[in-house]
Amino acid sequence: MAVAVLFLIAIPTLVDFYADWLWFGETGYRRVFLRVLSAKSLLFTAAFAIVLPFLWWNLRHALATLARREIVIMTPQGPQVLSMDAARLRPFVAGLTVLATLLVATRVASHWDTALLFWNGAPVGRADPILGHEVAFYLFSWPWLQIVQQTLFMTLLLALVGVAAAHVLSGSLSMDAARGLVVSPAARRHLTWLVAGVLLTLVFGSWLDLRGLLLSPGGLIQGASYVDVHARMLAYRVLMAAGVVAAALAVASALRPRKWLVAGGIALYAVVWLGGAVVATLLQRLIVTPNEQVRETPYIAHNIQATLEAFALDDVAERAVSGDATLTRADIDANQGTLANVRLWDHEPLLDTFSQIQEIRTYYDFVSVDNDRYTIDGEYRQIMLSARELNSENLPNRSWINERLTFTHGYGLALGPVNETTDEGLPMLFIRNLPPDSTVDLRVDQPAIYFGELSNDHVFVTTATREFDYPQGEDNVYGSYAGRGGVSVGSLFRRLLFAIRFRSAKTLLSDDITGDSRVLYYRRIGERAQKIAPFLTYDQDPYLAIDEGRLYWIQDAYTTSRHYPYARGVEAFAGIAAGTNYIRNSIKVVIDAYHGTTTFYLVDPRDPVALTLQRAFPGLLRPLAEMPEGLRNRLRYPSDIFTLQTAIYTTYHMRNPAVFYNKEDQWEVPAIDVGGQPERMQPYYTIMKLPGEQDAEFIQMLPFTPRQKNNLAAWMVARSDGANYGQLAVFQFPKQKLIFGPRQVVARISQDQTIAPQITLWNQQGAEVILGTLLVIPIEESLIYVRPLYLRAAGGQIVELRRVIVAYQNRIMMEPTLDEALERMFPKEGARQAEREAPEKATPTTTAEGAPPVDEAARALLARANDHYQRAVAAQRAGDWARYGEELKQLGAVLEQLSDKAGTK
């Protein structure tokens, strides 16, 4: 029975292992697979080979003292005599020893990645400010040494407990009411040697803990504080000495029959440990707390510097901007590269709209919308794009043939500018429909998506079943996979293998799978990259890119650590582990959406963690120069690390320890009301001409406000284009000036006497009003705010962009387009001059046929009335009743002005 259970457990495990072996060979990363496997095997074997003989020798030696004994135990049936001897216990003890060794060896092998970092650690080039160790010691050596210490301690403790139990059973170790603890000479020697070993491992642990103070989170900062440096470090040194003395006393007790020696050594160790804790507490209360700022100043400085280095914030370019410069129409015209790329479509409304107008069939899904920039028809444009993936869960008939053989891939994408709409308020699309139809010079020659964010577990290709490409009218267009991806399923053995691997007998029995068939698995891009390189941390937002007519996925990868001395740790965030205090976006993963080819590129050769991984896994990381130029132009600074960096920078821009201690200039990411609830603003991508630069570029941006205040303090950008990739910059406003912040602007918009009634009217008419992301748009030395407004018909799914709100200083405008709002906010000189001179130079003119004279101001009002009338008619024809009502309202306002003007004549 036991053999059968073991067989049922072992066979699937071996099958999964072999399937992974084949997959790593197909992807070209079998060397990585072997490296991980060899590291695990080496650690497991080494630990097993050391721990098992050690435990068994000690336990066997202890059992040798066990003579045949009869022990009386009480049971519900009365006294029972239990006969015990070494021969009967030895198999049981051997089984426990093997089990304990397996647990210890498995634990050691699970830290294969830590061991590889230790064996291949690259230098950092910096030393810690207290002990002078190279930072690489903390990143790569300290974690592994800690595992070694814990393993030694665990092994010695297991041996000590087991040997003590054996001596108790043999009677060599017992308690006597008169004599106290009774220990035979053999038991004493055995146990005290083990006690000496345990004490020495504790000494080793204290040596590590002393250095670990530079990594430990404290009350004020992370890293060694005043008390740590002046009390705890000394206490650890004294404790190490006490541990060595205690171990020596234990050895002496083994050589001489003096029980008090080992007890005295242990007592000495305990007293020193307790005394160190008491001294540290007293020093904190009596010396540090009354003058904390002065005492902790040098250590705060260490924490600030280390945190900035660990989060790549030590080279942030800082620049002051006035923030209140008066903008002119000339400034608007000079920044068309910025204003022509303002992102008016938010991700969620656009995704909802794509789902309604571009999914075509229910089994297609748009999972996410990505921001990027392309040169389109000679113009640098920001675009939003989304892959049309196949969701097998939404197939009308979810048969095995449909899910695994026929509906194998998504097809095409939707792509359009971030700031344009059709007359109906829908997004303008440059690439759309099935097959993909492009209206610009951006082409897609291979639109099939076999690898994506939504791809199901596995499919079979080049089978006897035709693969569905896309619907065309009443018919379907079919094709066959011609890519390089997949593992061959040709032989009967392989079919049996994959039948077990995928838990499906149809894989073995299907006539549609032929000798040429292949199976594609690990098709989700996040899972695919994680499978190859599980030692990396991955960004949560992979994005689609087009290069030479092909579709690729770009997945950002991070190297991280929790062991950078003095650097602050972070809470768990977007896949980044809690306690992480070092991060770099050093690696980009490119995955071909058709072939599945996965390539890891090293984009930051200065990162010591990435260089260590390069040593550990030769050939894994390719130089950035090998990436095709078209894909290099698609690289963007990822949002997860930028969000993390902005959160850190809100506090750590204060580099003066005194200012940092008092939190005098702390910032925060502003929160604005969304659906009645405050939500922190998220970084957003945009094309912008930064102050002091000549050209617009693709950046990621986030504003800051002072802590618990609403005015704007600064804004931070991460640059993505060309040689500027990865550069961070902060633009700060003067502290003595009040610059309206996002929350204040949102409040002013909601209270505006024109906008608020209009929103109320739309809501009363049954439409759902959706206010989009508030965008902060720096122009020269000033700011404008832009917020799109969407409408969704009652019960509908399609979201329409209907208005754009622009705020500048004390003025707010809402118009159908951004250009119109900017035109009203910053009229061209001719229009401004006419508006200014009209009341003063209104000279009567005579119309044809002797009509009454009409002055120029009245002509302007008549023209505006006609415009509103024409727009109302167009809205009526389009069924846009919200816009129709608004145009009639504005027409009425113009007619009232005409009436008043007529009454004054």
Side-chain angles (χ1 to χ4, degrees), residues 815 824 835 856-872 887-898:
E815 291 294 328
R824 282 191 60 196
E835 183 179 339
E856 293 298 330
R859 286 181 182 276
L861 289 172
L862 286 170
R864 286 177 56 192
N866 185 60
D867 286 344
H868 287 304
Y869 173 73
Q870 295 298 333
R871 290 175 186 172
E887 294 296 342
L888 285 183
K889 181 179 179 182
Q890 294 187 17
L891 174 60
V894 174
L895 292 176
E896 284 185 13
Q897 293 180 47
L898 278 170

mmCIF file of all heavy atoms in Angstrom, residues 815 824 835 856-872 887-898:
data_model
loop_
_atom_site.group_PDB
_atom_site.id
_atom_site.type_symbol
_atom_site.label_atom_id
_atom_site.label_comp_id
_atom_site.label_asym_id
_atom_site.label_seq_id
_atom_site.Cartn_x
_atom_site.Cartn_y
_atom_site.Cartn_z
ATOM 1 N N GLU A 815 -15.075 72.813 -22.142
ATOM 2 C CA GLU A 815 -15.446 72.850 -23.546
ATOM 3 C C GLU A 815 -15.432 71.428 -24.111
ATOM 4 O O GLU A 815 -14.877 70.511 -23.499
ATOM 5 C CB GLU A 815 -14.473 73.728 -24.340
ATOM 6 C CG GLU A 815 -14.560 75.213 -24.028
ATOM 7 C CD GLU A 815 -15.888 75.824 -24.446
ATOM 8 O OE1 GLU A 815 -16.474 75.358 -25.447
ATOM 9 O OE2 GLU A 815 -16.342 76.750 -23.759
ATOM 10 N N ARG A 824 -10.371 79.412 -25.320
ATOM 11 C CA ARG A 824 -11.112 80.323 -24.450
ATOM 12 C C ARG A 824 -10.242 80.845 -23.316
ATOM 13 O O ARG A 824 -10.334 82.004 -22.926
ATOM 14 C CB ARG A 824 -12.329 79.610 -23.851
ATOM 15 C CG ARG A 824 -13.505 79.470 -24.819
ATOM 16 C CD ARG A 824 -14.736 79.018 -24.069
ATOM 17 N NE ARG A 824 -15.119 79.971 -23.035
ATOM 18 C CZ ARG A 824 -15.955 79.705 -22.032
ATOM 19 N NH1 ARG A 824 -16.496 78.483 -21.945
ATOM 20 N NH2 ARG A 824 -16.264 80.616 -21.143
ATOM 21 N N GLU A 835 -12.157 91.440 -28.854
ATOM 22 C CA GLU A 835 -13.031 91.387 -27.679
ATOM 23 C C GLU A 835 -12.837 92.617 -26.801
ATOM 24 O O GLU A 835 -13.779 93.152 -26.229
ATOM 25 C CB GLU A 835 -12.723 90.107 -26.884
ATOM 26 C CG GLU A 835 -13.621 89.910 -25.672
ATOM 27 C CD GLU A 835 -13.295 88.632 -24.953
ATOM 28 O OE1 GLU A 835 -12.685 87.742 -25.572
ATOM 29 O OE2 GLU A 835 -13.651 88.542 -23.773
ATOM 30 N N GLU A 856 -20.761 95.857 -34.064
ATOM 31 C CA GLU A 856 -19.900 94.678 -34.153
ATOM 32 C C GLU A 856 -20.110 93.720 -32.990
ATOM 33 O O GLU A 856 -20.017 92.499 -33.142
ATOM 34 C CB GLU A 856 -18.435 95.124 -34.211
ATOM 35 C CG GLU A 856 -18.067 95.875 -35.486
ATOM 36 C CD GLU A 856 -18.245 95.012 -36.715
ATOM 37 O OE1 GLU A 856 -18.096 93.774 -36.608
ATOM 38 O OE2 GLU A 856 -18.550 95.556 -37.787
ATOM 39 N N ALA A 857 -20.385 94.249 -31.780
ATOM 40 C CA ALA A 857 -20.616 93.372 -30.630
ATOM 41 C C ALA A 857 -21.840 92.502 -30.845
ATOM 42 O O ALA A 857 -21.858 91.310 -30.516
ATOM 43 C CB ALA A 857 -20.779 94.210 -29.363
ATOM 44 N N ALA A 858 -22.900 93.107 -31.429
ATOM 45 C CA ALA A 858 -24.103 92.330 -31.696
ATOM 46 C C ALA A 858 -23.820 91.253 -32.739
ATOM 47 O O ALA A 858 -24.347 90.133 -32.669
ATOM 48 C CB ALA A 858 -25.231 93.248 -32.163
ATOM 49 N N ARG A 859 -23.004 91.604 -33.742
ATOM 50 C CA ARG A 859 -22.644 90.604 -34.755
ATOM 51 C C ARG A 859 -21.951 89.403 -34.106
ATOM 52 O O ARG A 859 -22.212 88.254 -34.459
ATOM 53 C CB ARG A 859 -21.723 91.229 -35.798
ATOM 54 C CG ARG A 859 -22.417 92.168 -36.775
ATOM 55 C CD ARG A 859 -21.403 92.709 -37.763
ATOM 56 N NE ARG A 859 -22.017 93.632 -38.684
ATOM 57 C CZ ARG A 859 -22.669 93.281 -39.806
ATOM 58 N NH1 ARG A 859 -22.774 92.001 -40.100
ATOM 59 N NH2 ARG A 859 -23.196 94.186 -40.582
ATOM 60 N N ALA A 860 -21.051 89.676 -33.167
ATOM 61 C CA ALA A 860 -20.342 88.590 -32.482
ATOM 62 C C ALA A 860 -21.313 87.702 -31.704
ATOM 63 O O ALA A 860 -21.204 86.468 -31.709
ATOM 64 C CB ALA A 860 -19.280 89.158 -31.548
ATOM 65 N N LEU A 861 -22.299 88.347 -31.038
ATOM 66 C CA LEU A 861 -23.281 87.560 -30.292
ATOM 67 C C LEU A 861 -24.139 86.714 -31.217
ATOM 68 O O LEU A 861 -24.471 85.557 -30.919
ATOM 69 C CB LEU A 861 -24.157 88.487 -29.450
ATOM 70 C CG LEU A 861 -23.473 89.137 -28.234
ATOM 71 C CD1 LEU A 861 -24.382 90.179 -27.606
ATOM 72 C CD2 LEU A 861 -23.102 88.065 -27.205
ATOM 73 N N LEU A 862 -24.518 87.306 -32.369
ATOM 74 C CA LEU A 862 -25.302 86.546 -33.338
ATOM 75 C C LEU A 862 -24.517 85.346 -33.859
ATOM 76 O O LEU A 862 -25.077 84.254 -34.054
ATOM 77 C CB LEU A 862 -25.714 87.461 -34.497
ATOM 78 C CG LEU A 862 -26.823 88.474 -34.184
ATOM 79 C CD1 LEU A 862 -26.972 89.470 -35.328
ATOM 80 C CD2 LEU A 862 -28.154 87.751 -33.936
ATOM 81 N N ALA A 863 -23.235 85.545 -34.087
ATOM 82 C CA ALA A 863 -22.409 84.431 -34.568
ATOM 83 C C ALA A 863 -22.334 83.318 -33.519
ATOM 84 O O ALA A 863 -22.413 82.127 -33.842
ATOM 85 C CB ALA A 863 -21.009 84.934 -34.918
ATOM 86 N N ARG A 864 -22.191 83.725 -32.247
ATOM 87 C CA ARG A 864 -22.145 82.711 -31.178
ATOM 88 C C ARG A 864 -23.468 81.980 -31.063
ATOM 89 O O ARG A 864 -23.511 80.762 -30.859
ATOM 90 C CB ARG A 864 -21.807 83.374 -29.846
ATOM 91 C CG ARG A 864 -20.340 83.791 -29.705
ATOM 92 C CD ARG A 864 -20.091 84.493 -28.397
ATOM 93 N NE ARG A 864 -20.490 83.668 -27.265
ATOM 94 C CZ ARG A 864 -20.591 84.118 -26.016
ATOM 95 N NH1 ARG A 864 -20.342 85.389 -25.740
ATOM 96 N NH2 ARG A 864 -20.946 83.295 -25.040
ATOM 97 N N ALA A 865 -24.583 82.714 -31.199
ATOM 98 C CA ALA A 865 -25.896 82.080 -31.137
ATOM 99 C C ALA A 865 -26.057 81.060 -32.253
ATOM 100 O O ALA A 865 -26.572 79.951 -32.052
ATOM 101 C CB ALA A 865 -26.998 83.144 -31.221
ATOM 102 N N ASN A 866 -25.609 81.421 -33.444
ATOM 103 C CA ASN A 866 -25.696 80.494 -34.576
ATOM 104 C C ASN A 866 -24.856 79.247 -34.322
ATOM 105 O O ASN A 866 -25.272 78.124 -34.639
ATOM 106 C CB ASN A 866 -25.257 81.195 -35.858
ATOM 107 C CG ASN A 866 -25.438 80.302 -37.073
ATOM 108 O OD1 ASN A 866 -26.547 79.876 -37.380
ATOM 109 N ND2 ASN A 866 -24.336 79.999 -37.751
ATOM 110 N N ASP A 867 -23.668 79.433 -33.757
ATOM 111 C CA ASP A 867 -22.806 78.287 -33.457
ATOM 112 C C ASP A 867 -23.498 77.330 -32.497
ATOM 113 O O ASP A 867 -23.490 76.105 -32.695
ATOM 114 C CB ASP A 867 -21.478 78.759 -32.843
ATOM 115 C CG ASP A 867 -20.568 79.387 -33.882
ATOM 116 O OD1 ASP A 867 -20.816 79.179 -35.091
ATOM 117 O OD2 ASP A 867 -19.612 80.092 -33.487
ATOM 118 N N HIS A 868 -24.072 77.882 -31.408
ATOM 119 C CA HIS A 868 -24.751 77.016 -30.434
ATOM 120 C C HIS A 868 -25.955 76.312 -31.070
ATOM 121 O O HIS A 868 -26.219 75.146 -30.762
ATOM 122 C CB HIS A 868 -25.196 77.844 -29.227
ATOM 123 C CG HIS A 868 -24.067 78.264 -28.336
ATOM 124 N ND1 HIS A 868 -23.192 77.380 -27.778
ATOM 125 C CD2 HIS A 868 -23.664 79.509 -27.918
ATOM 126 C CE1 HIS A 868 -22.305 78.038 -27.051
ATOM 127 N NE2 HIS A 868 -22.560 79.332 -27.124
ATOM 128 N N TYR A 869 -26.661 77.011 -31.957
ATOM 129 C CA TYR A 869 -27.812 76.397 -32.617
ATOM 130 C C TYR A 869 -27.368 75.222 -33.478
ATOM 131 O O TYR A 869 -27.975 74.140 -33.455
ATOM 132 C CB TYR A 869 -28.538 77.444 -33.462
ATOM 133 C CG TYR A 869 -29.637 76.847 -34.314
ATOM 134 C CD1 TYR A 869 -30.838 76.421 -33.737
ATOM 135 C CD2 TYR A 869 -29.464 76.686 -35.684
ATOM 136 C CE1 TYR A 869 -31.831 75.862 -34.516
ATOM 137 C CE2 TYR A 869 -30.451 76.129 -36.473
ATOM 138 C CZ TYR A 869 -31.637 75.710 -35.891
ATOM 139 O OH TYR A 869 -32.613 75.138 -36.671
ATOM 140 N N GLN A 870 -26.296 75.413 -34.261
ATOM 141 C CA GLN A 870 -25.814 74.351 -35.134
ATOM 142 C C GLN A 870 -25.325 73.149 -34.311
ATOM 143 O O GLN A 870 -25.554 71.993 -34.685
ATOM 144 C CB GLN A 870 -24.671 74.876 -36.028
ATOM 145 C CG GLN A 870 -25.098 75.955 -37.017
ATOM 146 C CD GLN A 870 -26.143 75.458 -38.018
ATOM 147 O OE1 GLN A 870 -26.199 74.259 -38.324
ATOM 148 N NE2 GLN A 870 -26.990 76.364 -38.499
ATOM 149 N N ARG A 871 -24.670 73.423 -33.198
ATOM 150 C CA ARG A 871 -24.208 72.324 -32.353
ATOM 151 C C ARG A 871 -25.377 71.568 -31.737
ATOM 152 O O ARG A 871 -25.334 70.346 -31.567
ATOM 153 C CB ARG A 871 -23.305 72.867 -31.237
ATOM 154 C CG ARG A 871 -21.944 73.373 -31.727
ATOM 155 C CD ARG A 871 -21.165 73.993 -30.588
ATOM 156 N NE ARG A 871 -19.928 74.615 -31.038
ATOM 157 C CZ ARG A 871 -19.141 75.356 -30.284
ATOM 158 N NH1 ARG A 871 -19.476 75.586 -29.007
ATOM 159 N NH2 ARG A 871 -18.034 75.887 -30.773
ATOM 160 N N ALA A 872 -26.427 72.314 -31.359
ATOM 161 C CA ALA A 872 -27.610 71.671 -30.799
ATOM 162 C C ALA A 872 -28.273 70.762 -31.828
ATOM 163 O O ALA A 872 -28.702 69.640 -31.513
ATOM 164 C CB ALA A 872 -28.599 72.727 -30.305
ATOM 165 N N GLU A 887 -26.259 72.918 -25.143
ATOM 166 C CA GLU A 887 -26.168 73.913 -26.213
ATOM 167 C C GLU A 887 -27.382 74.843 -26.199
ATOM 168 O O GLU A 887 -27.258 76.054 -26.432
ATOM 169 C CB GLU A 887 -26.039 73.219 -27.573
ATOM 170 C CG GLU A 887 -24.758 72.434 -27.766
ATOM 171 C CD GLU A 887 -23.529 73.320 -27.748
ATOM 172 O OE1 GLU A 887 -23.663 74.549 -27.926
ATOM 173 O OE2 GLU A 887 -22.413 72.793 -27.532
ATOM 174 N N LEU A 888 -28.583 74.291 -25.930
ATOM 175 C CA LEU A 888 -29.773 75.142 -25.846
ATOM 176 C C LEU A 888 -29.656 76.125 -24.683
ATOM 177 O O LEU A 888 -30.054 77.291 -24.798
ATOM 178 C CB LEU A 888 -31.023 74.276 -25.672
ATOM 179 C CG LEU A 888 -31.516 73.525 -26.919
ATOM 180 C CD1 LEU A 888 -32.787 72.772 -26.594
ATOM 181 C CD2 LEU A 888 -31.759 74.494 -28.086
ATOM 182 N N LYS A 889 -29.083 75.650 -23.568
ATOM 183 C CA LYS A 889 -28.909 76.538 -22.426
ATOM 184 C C LYS A 889 -27.972 77.688 -22.774
ATOM 185 O O LYS A 889 -28.234 78.856 -22.453
ATOM 186 C CB LYS A 889 -28.357 75.729 -21.247
ATOM 187 C CG LYS A 889 -28.169 76.556 -19.980
ATOM 188 C CD LYS A 889 -27.645 75.684 -18.862
ATOM 189 C CE LYS A 889 -27.433 76.532 -17.599
ATOM 190 N NZ LYS A 889 -26.884 75.723 -16.492
ATOM 191 N N GLN A 890 -26.856 77.351 -23.429
ATOM 192 C CA GLN A 890 -25.909 78.396 -23.805
ATOM 193 C C GLN A 890 -26.506 79.323 -24.872
ATOM 194 O O GLN A 890 -26.231 80.529 -24.883
ATOM 195 C CB GLN A 890 -24.604 77.760 -24.300
ATOM 196 C CG GLN A 890 -23.869 77.003 -23.201
ATOM 197 C CD GLN A 890 -22.507 76.521 -23.653
ATOM 198 O OE1 GLN A 890 -21.996 76.996 -24.647
ATOM 199 N NE2 GLN A 890 -21.941 75.574 -22.914
ATOM 200 N N LEU A 891 -27.327 78.767 -25.777
ATOM 201 C CA LEU A 891 -28.005 79.596 -26.779
ATOM 202 C C LEU A 891 -28.927 80.601 -26.083
ATOM 203 O O LEU A 891 -28.989 81.781 -26.450
ATOM 204 C CB LEU A 891 -28.801 78.711 -27.742
ATOM 205 C CG LEU A 891 -29.687 79.442 -28.766
ATOM 206 C CD1 LEU A 891 -28.858 80.351 -29.666
ATOM 207 C CD2 LEU A 891 -30.481 78.437 -29.592
ATOM 208 N N GLY A 892 -29.646 80.111 -25.046
ATOM 209 C CA GLY A 892 -30.526 81.015 -24.310
ATOM 210 C C GLY A 892 -29.757 82.132 -23.648
ATOM 211 O O GLY A 892 -30.208 83.289 -23.621
ATOM 212 N N ALA A 893 -28.592 81.822 -23.111
ATOM 213 C CA ALA A 893 -27.784 82.853 -22.458
ATOM 214 C C ALA A 893 -27.349 83.915 -23.456
ATOM 215 O O ALA A 893 -27.367 85.127 -23.171
ATOM 216 C CB ALA A 893 -26.561 82.209 -21.792
ATOM 217 N N VAL A 894 -26.971 83.506 -24.679
ATOM 218 C CA VAL A 894 -26.560 84.469 -25.702
ATOM 219 C C VAL A 894 -27.744 85.327 -26.131
ATOM 220 O O VAL A 894 -27.618 86.541 -26.318
ATOM 221 C CB VAL A 894 -25.937 83.741 -26.906
ATOM 222 C CG1 VAL A 894 -25.648 84.718 -28.034
ATOM 223 C CG2 VAL A 894 -24.661 83.022 -26.492
ATOM 224 N N LEU A 895 -28.913 84.708 -26.275
ATOM 225 C CA LEU A 895 -30.099 85.459 -26.683
ATOM 226 C C LEU A 895 -30.480 86.486 -25.618
ATOM 227 O O LEU A 895 -30.951 87.590 -25.941
ATOM 228 C CB LEU A 895 -31.263 84.499 -26.949
ATOM 229 C CG LEU A 895 -31.089 83.588 -28.179
ATOM 230 C CD1 LEU A 895 -32.246 82.614 -28.290
ATOM 231 C CD2 LEU A 895 -30.996 84.428 -29.457
ATOM 232 N N GLU A 896 -30.278 86.140 -24.342
ATOM 233 C CA GLU A 896 -30.548 87.112 -23.279
ATOM 234 C C GLU A 896 -29.623 88.318 -23.406
ATOM 235 O O GLU A 896 -30.035 89.470 -23.220
ATOM 236 C CB GLU A 896 -30.373 86.453 -21.912
ATOM 237 C CG GLU A 896 -31.520 85.544 -21.512
ATOM 238 C CD GLU A 896 -31.352 85.024 -20.097
ATOM 239 O OE1 GLU A 896 -30.494 85.572 -19.366
ATOM 240 O OE2 GLU A 896 -32.066 84.086 -19.721
ATOM 241 N N GLN A 897 -28.351 88.036 -23.736
ATOM 242 C CA GLN A 897 -27.413 89.145 -23.921
ATOM 243 C C GLN A 897 -27.845 90.028 -25.095
ATOM 244 O O GLN A 897 -27.761 91.258 -25.030
ATOM 245 C CB GLN A 897 -26.001 88.598 -24.172
ATOM 246 C CG GLN A 897 -25.403 87.893 -22.973
ATOM 247 C CD GLN A 897 -24.003 87.372 -23.268
ATOM 248 O OE1 GLN A 897 -23.184 88.103 -23.824
ATOM 249 N NE2 GLN A 897 -23.754 86.118 -22.904
ATOM 250 N N LEU A 898 -28.321 89.397 -26.171
ATOM 251 C CA LEU A 898 -28.812 90.172 -27.316
ATOM 252 C C LEU A 898 -30.022 91.007 -26.926
ATOM 253 O O LEU A 898 -30.177 92.170 -27.328
ATOM 254 C CB LEU A 898 -29.170 89.235 -28.472
ATOM 255 C CG LEU A 898 -28.006 88.768 -29.363
ATOM 256 C CD1 LEU A 898 -28.470 87.673 -30.296
ATOM 257 C CD2 LEU A 898 -27.452 89.951 -30.162
#
